Amino acid sequence: MAHRYRLSGLVQVGHAQREIRRDVLRLALPAMGEQMLSMMVGIVDTFLVGHLGSSPLAAVGLANQWIFMAMTLFGAIATGSTALIARFIGARDPRLADQVLRQSILLAAGTGLVATILGVLFARTAVTVIGAQGDVVQLSTDYLRVVSGIFLFSTLMFVGNASLRGAGDTRTPLYIMVVVNVINVIVAWTAINGPFGLPKLGVVGSALGAATGRLVGGVLVIAILLRGQAGIRLRLEALRPDWDMIRRILHVGLPTGLEQVLMRTGQMFFARILAEMGMVTYAANQVAINALSISFMPGFGFALAATTLVGQGLGAEDPEGAEQRGYVAYRIGAGLMTVIGLAIVLFPAQIMGFFTNEPEVIALGTMPLRVVGMVQPMLAASMIFTGALRGAGDTRFPMIVTGGSIWLVRLPLAYVLTLSLGWGLVGAWSAMALDFSLRGFVNFLRYRSGRWKTIKV
């Protein structure tokens, strides 16, 4: 009899584990596809511009540093929205989930409008500050002004998709990003190459593709939310500020926003160090980053799944189930990233060659790719355990870890290895690999401690 009970228990445990894996994959795979498509906007731009020469390539890379910085403002709202909506959906309280959505959209609209104005007015100053030189200054300025012009719609798309993910719907954001990418490819290719007698706009054409795609994406996500999706609905008749809910969203989201600001400003200083070695080196770094971004896709996807599942688990008062889902998300995501890392280590030149046909750029980026390809499991830990902690509302700890690791480890070490010891791009990426590894290990320890289970949002 006891033996039969033990077998029954094992069957139940095995069934529960399969259910958890299904939950994780159900959310993570579409989220991974969405993140892949989100990155594809930049990757396609790099691919199309990369064949115009190193100056246009460097120009797009420098402008994107500021575009990514703007995304950090959007990310603060998005993180708070995802975490709170997941918590209220888990607690079966759709009224409060809708209230979070309304306030998140209000915050997104205000933030996007401010970002649009600043980006258009101060584009030239912004790219000059981070090291644009010669003809790269004007090219980068033009790109940044065009993309900044639709930041309002980019923010609405970013926050609207995050709200849907918090409700457990990762498929709709995926479909929206499919539309964004199709529009980006058609508009960018046409504007860059000027077929049928149309003008060849070069870098500006690339910017027009990204801007048009994101504008349509923003309109689409608002239309979907007005109709109602995944148990949440945007109601315009109640669209007025609720300062208590705004405070709760920002209480969770602002540490993530500050974390991203620390990371992006650190990356700008990192870019400035590389720019000191010349625009060809910077172009090689930009191509290598886009090549490496292939490995980010599983990390982002499973991090977003962990955010939603941990938040919903805590809302349903099931902290142990929430914890298990975080670990399962890491195991699957890390496995996928390790496989991609192995491909990067074995075929770096071929991957670089997909984005550019300049031999010097390919040669400079090959070894750095190999260095970071070898630390993919730790990069996965950094991304996925951070996502799980965010789902619990534990956003301050990852902020401290990220800021400390980038500013106290990556940047000083990169400066010494590149400019003092002359290791070049390999030295800079070695510092980046150490930064990824440190963040992954410390965030894993935080997750294992379980302190996040008692955080109130």
Side-chain angles (χ1 to χ4, degrees):
M1 182 71 70
H3 179 65
R4 187 164 66 246
Y5 283 140
R6 281 197 299 271
L7 285 176
S8 176
L10 289 172
V11 169
Q12 290 176 359
V13 169
H15 179 71
Q17 285 296 313
R18 287 194 296 273
E19 286 292 322
I20 290 173
R21 282 195 294 272
R22 276 198 291 269
D23 284 346
V24 170
L25 291 171
R26 175 178 57 84
L27 291 177
L29 293 180
M32 186 168 69
E34 179 204 347
Q35 292 303 306
M36 178 186 72
L37 291 169
S38 181
M39 290 180 183
M40 282 299 293
V41 176
I43 290 173
V44 167
D45 288 350
T46 301
F47 174 77
L48 294 173
V49 171
H51 295 277
L52 300 177
S54 59
S55 289
L57 189 59
V60 172
L62 287 167
N64 275 326
Q65 291 294 326
W66 283 108
I67 292 166
F68 295 150
M69 176 64 78
M71 295 295 181
T72 65
L73 300 174
F74 316 156
I77 305 167
T79 298
S81 177
T82 300
L84 266 70
I85 287 176
R87 188 72 69 100
F88 292 135
I89 289 294
R92 299 178 184 272
D93 192 339
R95 183 186 65 82
L96 282 177
D98 284 351
Q99 181 66 346
V100 174
L101 173 62
R102 287 192 293 272
Q103 301 310 307
S104 297
I105 293 299
L106 277 176
L107 281 170
T111 303
L113 186 59
V114 171
T116 295
I117 294 169
L118 292 176
V120 171
L121 291 179
F122 300 106
R124 179 177 290 272
T125 302
V127 299
T128 303
V129 163
I130 58 173
Q133 303 168 13
D135 60 341
V136 172
V137 175
Q138 188 59 51
L139 291 171
S140 193
T141 299
D142 292 342
Y143 186 95
L144 183 56
R145 279 185 176 148
V146 172
V147 177
S148 297
I150 52 84
F151 271 159
L152 171 60
F153 296 94
S154 296
T155 318
L156 293 173
M157 182 181 72
F158 200 89
V159 174
N161 282 344
S163 299
L164 288 168
R165 288 193 298 268
D169 180 5
T170 55
R171 290 180 181 271
T172 300
L174 170 64
Y175 300 147
I176 290 171
M177 290 311 302
V178 169
V179 174
V180 170
N181 272 268
V182 170
I183 292 172
N184 175 50
V185 169
I186 293 172
V187 175
W189 184 87
T190 302
I192 289 172
N193 295 293
F196 315 116
L198 295 171
K200 295 183 178 182
L201 299 179
V203 167
V204 171
S206 174
L208 284 172
T212 306
R214 288 167 180 157
L215 187 153
V216 173
V219 172
L220 273 177
V221 75
I222 292 300
I224 289 166
L225 289 170
L226 285 170
R227 186 187 63 191
Q229 183 78 9
I232 56 173
R233 185 177 180 183
L234 178 62
R235 303 176 190 277
L236 293 180
E237 66 271 14
L239 200 62
R240 57 183 178 272
D242 178 340
W243 299 111
D244 180 63
M245 186 60 76
I246 287 173
R247 179 192 60 79
R248 294 174 72 176
I249 293 168
L250 294 179
H251 178 74
V252 174
L254 279 180
T256 295
L258 181 55
E259 175 193 346
Q260 294 298 309
V261 168
L262 290 169
M263 184 172 71
R264 294 302 179 191
T265 52
Q267 289 174 339
M268 286 182 179
F269 276 89
F270 189 73
R272 186 61 187 262
I273 291 171
L274 297 176
E276 291 292 325
M277 293 183 287
M279 287 296 101
V280 175
T281 298
Y282 187 83
N285 175 74
Q286 181 63 24
V287 172
I289 285 289
N290 277 280
L292 182 66
S293 67
I294 298 168
S295 73
F296 294 168
M297 295 167 193
F300 280 127
F302 283 89
L304 291 171
T307 298
T308 299
L309 290 169
V310 167
Q312 290 185 354
L314 292 178
E317 299 183 355
D318 181 17
E320 300 308 315
E323 182 178 22
Q324 289 182 46
R325 283 164 172 78
Y327 280 126
V328 170
Y330 171 71
R331 285 196 293 271
I332 301 174
L336 288 172
M337 290 179 70
T338 300
V339 171
I340 295 172
L342 182 61
I344 290 173
V345 170
L346 294 176
F347 308 107
Q350 290 83 351
I351 294 172
M352 289 283 294
F354 178 76
F355 297 96
T356 181
N357 53 12
E358 296 197 13
E360 188 177 2
V361 171
I362 294 172
L364 284 171
T366 295
M367 187 53 69
L369 265 183
R370 279 199 171 112
V371 170
V372 176
M374 290 187 288
V375 297
Q376 289 298 303
M378 298 307 296
L379 176 57
S382 174
M383 299 175 76
I384 297 170
F385 286 122
T386 296
L389 293 172
R390 286 174 182 164
D394 187 3
T395 51
R396 296 190 180 189
F397 186 84
M399 173 193 72
I400 295 169
V401 172
T402 297
S405 184
I406 288 178
W407 284 91
L408 301 179
V409 177
R410 184 198 290 197
L411 291 177
L413 187 59
Y415 184 87
V416 170
L417 293 179
T418 57
L419 301 181
S420 297
L421 298 182
W423 287 20
L425 201 55
V426 173
W429 279 53
S430 296
M432 183 164 62
L434 181 60
D435 165 37
F436 288 153
S437 300
L438 180 61
R439 278 192 272 160
F441 181 65
V442 175
N443 282 321
F444 160 70
L445 292 179
R446 175 70 170 190
Y447 190 75
R448 191 177 68 172
S449 75
R451 294 179 185 176
W452 48 273
K453 296 178 183 178
T454 57
I455 290 177
K456 305 296 182 184
V457 298

